[in-house]
Amino acid sequence: MTGYKVENIDSEDANELLLKIERSFGIKFGHNELIHVRTFGEFSDHIIKKIQLDNANDCTTQQAFYKLRNAISTTLNIGKRTITTDFPLSEILPRQNRRKKIGELENYLDVQLNILRAPRWVTITLLVLLLVSIGGLFFKWQYGFLGFVTSIGGLWFANEIGNELDVQTVGQLAEKITRENYLKSRRNPKTFNKSEIEKVLTNLFINDLALDRNKLTRGSEFV
């Protein structure tokens, strides 16, 4: 396990992940600050040292759930007692006015939820078109270029109007809010739980970079 290498990661995906970590933990990376960080464990330790807040041993995901439950109860007029971690989001956010209700939750929580996507078949079809178009540039560049522009535009448009839920339960959404908005999820955003950070970072790496959860350990090397 310790020999597992985190490699072949697109630089754009890696940069987006670092920006997400900055926003979640209220930190800022300096130029070449991470150049000497070689393993996931070193990265986690670096983040913990970088967060200049008081340590408090309370569960952030639990607090995120309570905040989310309160937001759902207040904005969508649903009894708190009925909202559990395994409560389906599809019942809270019906398709016909899903975007409006998500907007209300985002305003109440002061976070971007980013839980909507296009149907899988649409995304896959456009990605196949993109790959074919790139190949077509070497044979009939006019058609290849047209397909390339169409697929890129289609992916952007599908993402903008997508109405499929990317998480399925209230508990999953609370976990997503925790890893992407860690400090805002806490009852006291001027504190953090030192023992949680590595787990939160693990979940960010797994979800954003599609890594193998069973292989990502403190000894995993960045290459």
Side-chain angles (χ1 to χ4, degrees), residues 169-182:
T169 67
V170 172
Q172 290 174 357
L173 180 53
E175 291 174 357
K176 184 177 191 296
I177 293 172
T178 300
R179 63 177 179 263
E180 297 181 2
N181 302 272
Y182 182 82

Side-chain angles (χ1 to χ4, degrees), residues 112-220:
Q112 291 294 311
L113 298 179
N114 297 318
I115 57 173
L116 293 180
R117 58 169 175 80
R120 298 290 188 196
W121 70 267
V122 173
T123 303
I124 292 173
T125 300
L126 290 170
L127 286 174
V128 170
L129 175 61
L130 176 61
L131 293 174
V132 172
S133 300
I134 292 174
L137 290 171
F138 297 97
F139 299 97
K140 195 76 173 179
W141 74 266
Q142 295 94 335
Y143 292 121
F145 180 74
L146 178 61
F148 180 82
V149 172
T150 301
S151 58
I152 292 296
L155 286 168
W156 176 85
F157 186 68
N159 184 63
E160 288 296 308
I161 67 170
N163 204 34
E164 299 294 319
L165 288 167
D166 205 27
V167 290
Q168 305 307 315
T169 67
V170 172
Q172 290 174 357
L173 180 53
E175 291 174 357
K176 184 177 191 296
I177 293 172
T178 300
R179 63 177 179 263
E180 297 181 2
N181 302 272
Y182 182 82
L183 295 184
K184 285 187 176 182
S185 299
R186 292 186 59 77
R187 186 181 300 108
N188 182 355
K190 294 184 179 180
T191 66
F192 80 117
N193 186 342
K194 186 182 297 185
S195 64
E196 294 179 333
I197 303 304
E198 186 169 317
K199 180 181 177 180
V200 174
L201 289 171
T202 298
N203 289 333
L204 276 168
F205 272 70
I206 297 300
N207 283 273
D208 286 48
L209 302 181
L211 301 179
D212 188 335
R213 181 178 295 276
N214 294 322
K215 292 184 178 180
L216 183 62
T217 67
R218 288 184 58 81
S220 298

Side-chain angles (χ1 to χ4, degrees), residues 1-201:
M1 291 295 186
T2 56
Y4 180 71
K5 299 183 186 301
V6 181
E7 56 186 344
N8 299 324
I9 301 300
D10 183 81
S11 60
E12 187 172 324
D13 290 338
N15 288 333
E16 187 174 332
L17 175 59
L18 290 177
L19 288 173
K20 190 174 290 186
I21 291 171
E22 286 182 330
R23 290 194 298 267
S24 186
F25 297 109
I27 58 178
K28 193 74 176 176
F29 295 117
H31 183 62
N32 289 333
E33 178 179 335
L34 301 174
I35 195 169
H36 299 299
V37 174
R38 299 300 183 189
T39 67
F40 179 71
E42 291 177 0
F43 180 77
S44 298
D45 293 341
H46 183 80
I47 300 301
I48 291 171
K49 291 178 182 177
K50 194 172 180 65
I51 302 174
Q52 300 296 312
L53 297 172
D54 292 332
N55 182 56
N57 295 318
D58 46 9
C59 179
T60 306
T61 302
Q62 185 181 59
Q63 294 170 31
F65 168 72
Y66 291 148
K67 285 190 173 186
L68 178 58
R69 185 180 65 176
N70 190 54
I72 293 171
S73 177
T74 302
T75 63
L76 307 182
N77 196 28
I78 299 175
K80 285 185 180 181
R81 292 186 178 182
T82 66
I83 305 171
T84 60
T85 55
D86 58 355
F87 197 95
L89 285 175
S90 58
E91 294 186 22
I92 298 172
L93 306 169
R95 188 180 296 274
Q96 61 268 26
N97 58 357
R98 183 168 287 168
R99 284 188 172 271
K100 178 177 179 294
K101 289 182 178 295
I102 289 175
E104 292 173 356
L105 285 176
E106 289 178 331
N107 288 335
Y108 188 95
L109 293 166
D110 190 29
V111 299
Q112 291 294 311
L113 298 179
N114 297 318
I115 57 173
L116 293 180
R117 58 169 175 80
R120 298 290 188 196
W121 70 267
V122 173
T123 303
I124 292 173
T125 300
L126 290 170
L127 286 174
V128 170
L129 175 61
L130 176 61
L131 293 174
V132 172
S133 300
I134 292 174
L137 290 171
F138 297 97
F139 299 97
K140 195 76 173 179
W141 74 266
Q142 295 94 335
Y143 292 121
F145 180 74
L146 178 61
F148 180 82
V149 172
T150 301
S151 58
I152 292 296
L155 286 168
W156 176 85
F157 186 68
N159 184 63
E160 288 296 308
I161 67 170
N163 204 34
E164 299 294 319
L165 288 167
D166 205 27
V167 290
Q168 305 307 315
T169 67
V170 172
Q172 290 174 357
L173 180 53
E175 291 174 357
K176 184 177 191 296
I177 293 172
T178 300
R179 63 177 179 263
E180 297 181 2
N181 302 272
Y182 182 82
L183 295 184
K184 285 187 176 182
S185 299
R186 292 186 59 77
R187 186 181 300 108
N188 182 355
K190 294 184 179 180
T191 66
F192 80 117
N193 186 342
K194 186 182 297 185
S195 64
E196 294 179 333
I197 303 304
E198 186 169 317
K199 180 181 177 180
V200 174
L201 289 171

